[in-house]
Amino acid sequence: MFVDAIEKIDQFTRPVHFIIRYYAGSDIVPGTATLFFVNEDGFAVTCRHVARQILHANSIYENYLKFKGELRKFEKDPGLSTQRNLLETKYKIAPDSPIRILFNFIHCVSAYKGLTIHLHPTQDLAIIQFRNYESKQYQSHAQFLKDSRMVKQGRYLCRLGYPFPEFTNYRYNKHTGDIEWTTEGKVKTPSFPIDGIITRHIGDNSEVVGIEMSTPGLRGQSGGPLFDQNGIIYGMQSSTRHLHLGFDQVNREVTIDGHRKRVSNYPFLNVGQCVHVDVIKQFLKEKHIRYYEADPN
């Protein structure tokens, strides 16, 4: 049902690749997110939580470098451990704190000179503008649902994104002590669609701002479009909510491979949450950014 729509959506939907190092770990952790373009002028939308990572990447690293610089003064001090703890508190660095974030926009535009990012004040929505680029590497653009009365419970829709980071073009540089992108390794991450029906509308202050879907959005699909079989955009994947079903099984005896065992299970229903099409269009309108609308056939 969504074959033609996915081919259409794939022309302007792109992955964002991240590599992250955490304070307490030495591993490089890859991650992905999604954005899609709304016009031919280099404007795209994604989630606010994705855009914040992009916005704060430099300041996070600068904070860590300041921490390292101060800590270096106490390298030969017998109270190094105490000083480290004090500096960790000063610079708000915890074991699970990211200390380095690098991002890479895949096949969006070539040789862009800058970014302008607008964060929505209340919703998980952001606009990214690629400035002063040489050429576009995406084709076409989104067409948003014109009449939002079509967003009804039970309507069958699909989402597209990049939930599984398969790229390998990164490394740790021992000489610089930093992580970096390389020209070797796998560059691409395949897209992944997931379908579902609209289950409920999500409200905020008596206003419909979101769409709940019967299936979860996967990590990495954040910022991906929600669309119908015609490729018309109804919203954008934002997060996944976990609804406790109440069918709990506690210390129940079951037979597995001929052996009696006691197990516990606390089932949840994972539902996707999407930013509503009207919220996206209104934010674009407020920023005087051109977008396009369409009616379902």
Side-chain angles (χ1 to χ4, degrees), residues 2 4 21 30 45 67-68 78 120 155 185 244 246 248 281 294:
F2 294 107
D4 292 339
R21 275 190 74 198
V45 293
F67 163 79
K68 278 183 65 178
H120 195 284
R155 188 168 296 282
H244 183 219
D248 300 339
K281 291 193 298 184

Side-chain angles (χ1 to χ4, degrees), residues 28 44 52 60 62 107 121 144 147 152 178 208 224 236 287:
I28 303 174
R52 276 179 170 164
I60 286 172
E62 288 171 0
H107 296 151
F144 292 99
D147 185 359
K152 293 183 177 180
D178 196 8
V208 175
M236 180 188 71
K287 300 302 178 182

